Amino acid sequence: MTDWGRYLPLSNRDRSGDGAATGDWSQPTAALLEQLAAVLDARPALLASPSLRPAVTTAAAVRETLSALDARWWTRWARALGAAEPVSPVVAATPDDALASALRARAGALGGSNRRARIRALGAALVLALDVRAAHGLALPIDPFLCGAVALDLALRARHPQRALLTARTLVAVDGDWQVGTGPRLPSTADAIVLFLAGRAGLPPEVDEPLPPADPTT
């Protein structure tokens, strides 16, 4: 079982094929970083453009992610308390035109070693990918299952106002076969739910749920 699956029933995903899962998210994290590097190589002008946070450029968002991937638990704790800068000095000194290479180097390190990547590392890469995709209208494919894993991890660590909504409503990913929270259903897209839980977007907009398949016997 995955390392987040034990918190069911917050997720309703079929887990019959999860028996060999180890909780190591290195491969999907590396794949997302490779995708992001390819996008920045193809469209370097995006680095100077705003992310979903108007005051934060895409380059700054990339630096935050690179710093998060390298951070130890005590560094994350200090940053959460505002006692440490969100960007490490080494990453801060990286020129914009070297950020794609830095993402690719991090992907290579994850894919070519025995170092495990935890769900927070996947979350950092995935939230950046969703942010860049939404801010710039990119065709960047992301597995809905990965969104579900990250959403649940974010929910377990949520603060107000995210925690308030999760106690009042169940956020249902209409395109991902997963849900998180309690209370009446609020169907939305996987992207919108994750971006909300990560503090990158507002309340997920409610969308129509797909109709159940017709019963051929009726």
Side-chain angles (χ1 to χ4, degrees), residues 52-163:
L52 287 180
R53 295 168 293 172
V56 179
T57 64
T58 299
V62 171
R63 288 189 175 90
E64 288 178 358
T65 300
L66 287 169
S67 299
L69 290 170
D70 292 331
R72 303 294 185 181
W73 70 265
W74 55 84
T75 304
R76 293 195 301 267
W77 179 78
R79 286 172 179 166
L81 294 178
E85 293 295 326
V87 177
S88 70
V90 172
V91 174
T94 304
D96 283 6
D97 59 6
L99 288 175
S101 296
L103 288 171
R104 189 167 284 112
R106 169 52 59 192
L110 287 172
S113 72
N114 294 324
R115 182 176 178 181
R116 294 160 60 89
R118 295 296 185 182
I119 186 65
R120 288 197 184 189
L122 173 65
L126 186 137
V127 169
L128 176 63
L130 292 179
D131 188 315
V132 171
R133 184 168 76 173
H136 303 293
L138 302 178
L140 190 64
I142 297 175
D143 186 345
F145 166 61
L146 298 180
C147 289
V150 170
L152 186 51
D153 178 65
L154 291 171
L156 292 170
R157 299 184 286 109
R159 299 182 179 182
H160 188 81
Q162 287 80 11
R163 181 176 293 279

Side-chain angles (χ1 to χ4, degrees), residues 159-174:
R159 299 182 179 182
H160 188 81
Q162 287 80 11
R163 181 176 293 279
L165 181 62
L166 290 170
T167 59
R169 302 293 298 269
T170 297
L171 302 178
V172 181
V174 298

